[in-house]
Amino acid sequence: MAGARFAELCVVLACFFGGGLAAPSFTSEPGNVTVEVGGTARLEWQLNDDGASQLFELWRKLPSAGLIQRQAGQEAAPFPGYEGKFEIEGVATLKILNVEKADAGGYEFQASYDDGTSLNSGATLIVNYQPTITGMSASPDPNVKEGDDLTLTCAADGVPAPNFSWSRSDGGPLGAAVADAAAGTLTFTNISRTATGAYTCTADNGVGVAPTQDIAVAVSYPTTPAPTTPTPNVTMKITDAPTPAPSAEPEPTGGMETSDKPGEKGRGAKPQKGGLGSGAIVGIVLGLLALFLTIGVGAYCASKRFGPQPNKKPDVVTFNKVEETEAEPLKNKDPENPPEKTEDKDNNKDASIIKNGEMEEVPLKNAEEA
Ligand SMILES: *[C@@H]1O[C@H](CO)[C@@H](O)[C@H](O)[C@H]1NC(C)=O
Ligand SMILES: *[C@@H]1O[C@H](CO)[C@@H](O)[C@H](O)[C@H]1NC(C)=O
Ligand SMILES: *[C@@H]1O[C@H](CO)[C@@H](O)[C@H](O)[C@H]1NC(C)=O
Ligand SMILES: *[C@@H]1O[C@H](CO)[C@@H](O)[C@H](O)[C@H]1NC(C)=O
């Protein structure tokens, strides 16, 4: 009796102080388990019973749903609706068949023993699946003006989170556009008209086939640059060139042709050259010269007659006229103020017109004195 009681006491003391002597525990836990959708996942727990007997085991999907359970000495039994979905392998491995996205999440394993021990351990199932592009957008708008900023965004659902890449659908370069692989954005700053076109987003996470999708961008720009092209200037030169050619002498016409090397010389100068003979042109020129001469002489004569009336003319012009026409006024003035002029010889220098008269006064006085 005493020996048996001592043994019982030892067990109790061991529970208090030693612990490790007779306590079931996990030797391995699953932690995070990753599987691709459609595959089979295994959440593997390893235990050391340490001499105790298992009474009951339960596998749950957190937060609460029981998946499968096992009574000591019996086969594991899935809960209703989970047959063929969950199985138990080995000591305590939960096998999940035909994994779906919805299977991702937290799991828990519980075990109870006849010594009163109750164990539980959690695990996380990560289900990878191919990306699906869920949307593409352009901010502020896919139709922008040249010089604006534009951001294309590609959104996708997939595990792990996909990397995004961009390309031009026509295979051209992206230019200055900046792509963010994680955010799925393609940013244009001060966008150019050459950015017009379709852009392809690819979402790749290494699972399955990376999907692609296009978005179109249209960059508008002012159409004013077109009229400012040098074309108008060229046409102006062409139209100006032939005009002086016919009115001028024949020789310059040939010079114009060589300067206008492009095909214009064929249609512009040659037909006109054939229409007017060089003799005819010379005749016309001579006739014009004669006409101008006649008009010029007539005009000169007319100006000579009516010339004296205006007093604005310079000294030289009036000098010749003074000899003939102003000789009389001078004689008329002389009788009126003969003494003044003789006295004011020096004062006469002030006026230019009178200056001429002074030169004539000398011979007049001489004549009077004589
Ligand atoms: C499981 O994954 C989560 C999130 O990725 C991480 O924080 C945690 O440390 C992982 N746990 C283990 C046991 O690896
Ligand atoms: C935008 O681009 C045009 C053409 O390349 C350039 O002339 C202009 O200076 C740029 N504007 C800014 C603010 O960078
Ligand atoms: C995304 O790209 C980075 C850098 O290349 C790479 O380390 C990472 O594994 C990629 N992620 C996926 C899901 O492919
Ligand atoms: C074309 O005409 C414009 C406006 O008159 C002028 O500014 C420009 O210099 C001309 N260009 C040439 C090549 O003559």
Side-chain angles (χ1 to χ4, degrees):
M1 291 294 286
R5 288 194 175 183
F6 180 76
E8 290 180 3
L9 182 61
C10 283
V11 169
V12 172
L13 290 174
C15 291
F16 271 99
F17 301 105
L21 289 176
S25 61
F26 291 106
T27 57
S28 175
E29 297 174 77
N32 294 338
V33 174
T34 300
V35 64
E36 282 190 17
V37 70
T40 298
R42 286 178 173 81
L43 307 185
E44 183 177 342
W45 283 272
Q46 296 288 347
L47 297 154
N48 179 8
D49 289 348
D50 198 21
S53 296
Q54 269 188 356
L55 299 176
F56 181 75
E57 293 169 299
L58 172 67
W59 291 260
R60 296 195 300 141
K61 173 83 184 296
L62 296 176
S64 61
L67 306 172
I68 190 171
Q69 61 182 336
R70 182 164 65 185
Q71 299 283 350
Q74 297 183 9
E75 291 289 320
F79 281 69
Y82 291 144
E83 298 87 355
K85 176 70 178 178
F86 298 98
E87 298 175 357
I88 301 302
E89 284 185 341
V91 177
T93 297
L94 175 65
K95 184 178 176 182
I96 308 171
L97 305 171
N98 192 24
V99 170
E100 305 165 73
K101 292 181 187 177
D103 294 331
Y107 289 78
E108 186 185 61
F109 168 62
Q110 294 178 349
S112 60
Y113 291 83
D114 61 357
D115 68 350
T117 302
S118 180
L119 301 174
N120 66 76
S121 170
T124 300
L125 179 64
I126 298 166
V127 179
N128 285 348
Y129 56 94
Q130 171 181 314
T132 300
I133 294 177
T134 55
M136 300 186 76
S137 61
S139 176
D141 193 277
N143 301 309
V144 294
K145 295 175 189 168
E146 191 170 40
D148 286 354
D149 295 343
L150 171 66
T151 298
L152 303 180
T153 302
C154 186
D157 174 38
V159 176
N163 285 329
F164 297 90
S165 60
W166 291 90
S167 63
R168 282 192 70 132
S169 304
D170 61 5
L174 284 179
V178 176
D180 185 326
T185 55
L186 182 66
T187 301
F188 298 83
T189 302
N190 187 20
I191 194 167
S192 162
R193 66 189 66 178
T194 60
T196 295
Y199 291 80
T200 303
C201 167
T202 302
D204 185 6
N205 70 350
V207 180
V209 177
T212 64
Q213 193 166 317
D214 288 358
I215 185 171
V217 170
V219 182
S220 60
Y221 53 90
T223 55
T224 47
T228 58
T229 55
T231 310
N233 297 27
V234 172
T235 55
M236 289 299 291
K237 285 181 178 177
I238 293 172
T239 53
D240 288 346
T243 309
S247 64
E249 300 163 5
E251 295 180 358
T253 310
M256 295 302 290
E257 283 183 294
T258 54
S259 64
D260 296 339
K261 289 179 181 178
E264 283 83 22
K265 64 178 179 181
R267 54 173 168 167
K270 280 184 179 178
Q272 295 178 355
K273 195 176 180 182
L276 280 177
S278 57
I281 293 176
V282 171
I284 291 172
V285 170
L286 290 176
L288 288 173
L289 284 174
L291 180 60
F292 287 141
L293 273 175
T294 306
I295 294 173
V297 170
Y300 176 78
C301 293
S303 66
K304 215 174 180 182
R305 288 188 179 180
F306 300 100
Q309 293 179 350
N311 296 329
K312 300 175 183 177
K313 296 300 181 181
D315 302 345
V316 180
V317 176
T318 53
F319 182 78
N320 293 334
K321 297 167 187 175
V322 171
E323 291 179 349
E324 299 177 358
T325 56
E326 288 191 352
E328 294 177 0
L330 283 173
K331 289 179 180 177
N332 293 337
K333 288 179 182 176
D334 286 340
E336 292 177 359
N337 303 322
E340 291 180 359
K341 283 188 178 180
T342 54
E343 293 176 358
D344 298 340
K345 281 183 180 179
D346 295 338
N347 295 337
N348 290 340
K349 294 176 184 177
D350 297 338
S352 60
I353 296 176
I354 302 174
K355 201 174 185 179
N356 293 331
E358 182 183 357
M359 294 181 66
E360 306 236 345
E361 280 182 321
V362 178
L364 284 173
K365 286 183 178 178
N366 291 337
E368 288 180 354
E369 289 177 354

